[in-house]
């Protein structure tokens, strides 16, 4: 399996309560495994409030729907030993 690195990291975002926000992180290879999204060190799963997907094979996206004050904090994207935060 090729060694996957982060090509383009997360960007800080400012949004209004009730809005959706999308974070993107580009990795060096398609079909990367061992990928994880976290909010304040809590692992996120794909559900009604969090949409986790992959675009064009190597752009990993996280959309937080209808954010609230409880969603304030650090978003972390991890692939293997590499991390990006916003």
């Amino acid at each position: 399996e090729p060694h996957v690195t982060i090509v383009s990291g997360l960007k800080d975002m400012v949004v209004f309560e009730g809005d959706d926000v999308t974070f993107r992180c580009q990795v060096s290879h398609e079909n990367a495994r061992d990928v994880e999204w976290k909010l304040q060190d809590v692992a996120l799963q794909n559900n009604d409030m969090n949409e986790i997907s992959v675009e064009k094979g190597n752009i990993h996206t996280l959309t937080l729907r209808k954010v609230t004050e409880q969603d304030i904090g650090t978003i972390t994207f991890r692939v293997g030993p590499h991390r990006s935060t916003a």
Side-chain angles (χ1 to χ4, degrees):
E1 186 169 314
H3 183 68
V4 179
T5 60
I6 295 173
V7 175
S8 177
L10 299 177
K11 308 246 185 310
D12 291 340
M13 305 289 276
V14 176
V15 293
F16 293 102
E17 192 167 14
D19 286 353
D20 295 350
V21 60
T22 300
F23 296 91
R24 287 182 176 78
C25 198
Q26 183 177 358
V27 298
S28 59
H29 294 81
E30 293 186 2
N31 304 318
R33 292 166 211 224
D34 193 22
V35 170
E36 183 177 52
W37 287 97
K38 288 184 175 182
L39 171 60
Q40 293 294 73
D41 287 329
V42 175
L44 299 175
Q45 304 297 322
N46 209 11
N47 58 35
D48 291 344
M49 299 305 293
N50 313 315
E51 181 184 333
I52 297 171
S53 61
V54 180
E55 300 172 356
K56 299 179 185 169
N58 69 335
I59 299 173
H60 293 258
T61 65
L62 166 67
T63 300
L64 302 178
R65 305 225 179 272
K66 298 182 175 73
V67 297
T68 66
E69 274 191 41
Q70 287 74 39
D71 296 317
I72 292 172
T74 301
I75 293 286
T76 303
F77 173 81
R78 180 188 61 76
V79 59
H82 305 285
R83 286 179 173 20
S84 179
T85 59

